[in-house]
């Protein structure tokens, strides 16, 4: 078991400076004095905290942000960031005696590599360190590759490094999108998919709508779906496209009024400006990796005028 001492932030930032690429990649102190990587691509920018390998911003030049982050988010060790792209691993949702949505979003990831791309933008590679939490699981590695161009591509690669044990896990890129006004949003790409409706005690249902609109709390786990999903946002006059591979589940979540009021790290009215569309493998779509095998979850986000 390896427990990594947490480095004082100023030292951590100095140690990371070797990964800087002038004009493209800089390492700065973010909120909560936590190290953050800023990427400047010609078409836009992104920022990623090492805490949780958490992408907290992606926007195209002169465009509103693609991702939502709560004004009330905590930026603190052992606390998840509210918004952006939490990396959910190795379990999704609650688990008795454990933090919700796994330990990956609570762990400080390591930055291993930054590469400038020939046409602008950069690729960053993070890995999850071994901790006392991961030591409870079969030996595995998690690498997270973030590529920023005019799109944002996220690749989560899990390898079962154990000698003889299967590794069963769930994963999810729990992405919070920024929308102009939730009542002017529709979501396409899920017609015909089976889902569990968590708002109605996990009732089994099938999506019948071409375009899903949101007028109340929504918390749905769509299963056995590999389709791309689009958010049409009439208020910002843009669409966001979510393409994915290595993912059989899509989750849609908006807490609406009452749940928003109960969340200490989320503003009471912020449900109007966000929508989570999450790509991963959860519930019966969980991944079971034999020893020596790897899985790749890839999600690409892009936006265009509507
Ligand atoms: O993905 C939807 C969900 O599982 C909801 O049920 C909701 O609780 C949300 O995630 C946020 O979870 P968190 O642990 O970040 O508060």
């Amino acid at each position: 078991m390896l427990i990594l001492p947490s480095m004082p932030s100023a030292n951590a930032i100095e140690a990371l400076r070797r990964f800087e690429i002038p004009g493209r990649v800089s390492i700065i102190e973010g909120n909560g004095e936590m190290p953050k990587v800023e990427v400047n691509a010609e078409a836009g920018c992104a920022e990623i905290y090492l805490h949780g390998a958490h992408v907290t911003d992606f926007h195209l030049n002169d465009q509103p942000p693609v991702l939502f982050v709560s004004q009330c988010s905590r930026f603190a060790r052992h606390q998840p960031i509210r918004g952006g792209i939490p990396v959910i691993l190795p379990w999704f949702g609650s688990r008795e005696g454990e933090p919700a949505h796994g330990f990956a979003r609570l762990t400080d990831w390591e930055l291993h590599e930054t590469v400038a791309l020939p046409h602008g933008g950069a690729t960053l590679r993070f890995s999850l360190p071994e901790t006392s939490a991961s030591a409870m699981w079969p030996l595995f590695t998690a690498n997270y590759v973030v590529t920023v161009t005019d799109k944002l591509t996220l690749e989560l690669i899990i390898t079962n490094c154990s000698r003889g044990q299967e590794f069963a896990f769930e994963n999810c890129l729990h992405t919070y999108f920024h929308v102009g006004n939730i009542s002017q949003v529709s979501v396409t790409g899920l017609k015909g998919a089976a889902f569990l409706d968590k708002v109605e005690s996990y009732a089994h249902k099938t999506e019948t709508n071409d375009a899903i609109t949101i007028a109340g709390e929504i918390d749905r786990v769509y299963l056995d779906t590999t389709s791309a999903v689009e958010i049409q946002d009439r208020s910002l006059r843009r669409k966001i496209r979510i393409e994915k591979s290595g993912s059989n589940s899509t989750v849609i979540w908006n807490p609406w009024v009452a749940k928003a009021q109960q969340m200490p790290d989320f503003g009471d009215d912020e449900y109007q400006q966000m929508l989570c569309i999450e790509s991963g493998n959860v519930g019966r779509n969980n991944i079971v990796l034999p020893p020596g095998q790897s899985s790749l979850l890839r999600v690409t986000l892009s936006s265009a005028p509507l």
Side-chain angles (χ1 to χ4, degrees):
M1 176 164 71
L2 176 68
I3 300 180
L4 293 172
S6 55
M7 247 193 232
S9 177
N11 290 352
I13 290 169
E14 270 321 303
L16 288 164
R17 290 223 189 277
R18 67 186 193 280
F19 293 109
E20 292 193 323
I21 303 174
R24 296 272 181 108
V25 177
S26 11
I27 313 288
I28 61 169
E29 186 179 278
N31 294 331
E33 300 179 352
M34 297 199 288
K36 177 170 91 171
V37 187
E38 272 192 352
V39 182
N40 279 298
E42 245 142 65
C45 293
E47 57 178 43
I48 304 102
Y49 279 81
L50 271 79
H51 181 60
H54 200 123
V55 181
T56 51
D57 182 37
F58 172 59
H59 66 268
L60 298 178
N61 298 333
D62 305 321
Q63 297 289 316
V66 170
L67 302 177
F68 162 90
V69 177
S70 171
Q71 297 295 317
C72 306
S73 177
R74 297 166 173 138
F75 287 86
R77 296 223 146 72
H78 314 300
Q79 300 278 356
I81 295 170
R82 177 69 69 196
I85 312 182
V87 176
I88 307 303
L89 179 80
W91 66 87
F92 178 87
S94 54
R95 193 180 170 94
E96 213 185 319
E98 303 279 359
H101 286 322
F103 50 80
R105 68 175 179 167
L106 305 174
T107 305
D108 290 347
W109 290 53
E110 290 167 354
L111 177 61
H112 281 279
E113 197 181 16
T114 54
V115 178
L117 299 173
H119 303 294
T123 290
L124 320 173
R125 184 167 62 85
F126 301 87
S127 75
L128 184 70
E130 272 183 61
T131 61
S132 50
S134 66
M136 307 306 288
W137 292 71
L139 192 63
F140 72 96
T141 57
N143 280 279
Y144 191 44
V145 179
V146 178
T147 299
V148 187
T149 58
D150 58 339
K151 298 178 177 181
L152 180 67
T153 299
L154 311 152
E155 295 167 294
L156 182 64
I157 303 124
I158 310 297
T159 303
N160 180 354
C161 304
S162 77
R163 282 180 176 260
Q165 272 180 288
E166 279 187 337
F167 176 33
F169 62 94
E170 296 170 291
N171 62 10
C172 192
L173 298 176
H174 191 305
T175 310
Y176 289 69
F177 291 98
H178 166 64
V179 298
N181 182 336
I182 191 69
S183 62
Q184 309 234 3
V185 161
S186 55
V187 176
T188 55
L190 291 163
K191 190 176 183 185
F195 67 93
L196 300 176
D197 192 343
K198 286 171 72 176
V199 174
E200 289 188 24
S201 313
Y202 289 81
H204 290 247
K205 299 185 180 175
T206 300
E207 186 56 65
T208 54
N209 296 299
D210 282 317
I212 301 163
T213 52
I214 292 123
E217 183 187 356
I218 182 168
D219 195 350
R220 297 180 181 176
V221 179
Y222 289 85
L223 295 162
D224 308 322
T225 174
T226 56
S227 308
V229 171
E230 268 188 16
I231 303 173
Q232 273 91 24
D233 182 342
R234 292 191 304 285
S235 133
L236 291 181
R237 293 203 192 91
R238 76 168 173 195
K239 59 183 175 192
I240 294 173
R241 187 167 171 81
I242 304 145
E243 287 168 291
K244 62 176 192 165
S245 62
S247 159
N248 288 316
S249 316
T250 296
V251 179
I252 302 188
W253 178 59
N254 182 296
W256 215 253
V257 181
K259 285 264 166 72
Q261 288 171 354
Q262 287 162 17
M263 288 157 59
D265 57 348
F266 190 85
D268 287 358
D269 297 326
E270 286 184 320
Y271 72 92
Q272 294 171 16
Q273 267 79 50
M274 60 72 72
L275 180 63
C276 283
I277 306 278
E278 313 165 25
S279 305
N281 299 281
V282 312
R284 69 168 187 237
N285 292 146
N286 75 338
I287 295 177
V288 183
L289 278 182
Q293 299 285 303
S294 298
S295 72
L296 166 62
L297 165 63
R298 179 188 287 126
V299 175
T300 299
L301 308 180
S302 56
S303 76
L306 191 59

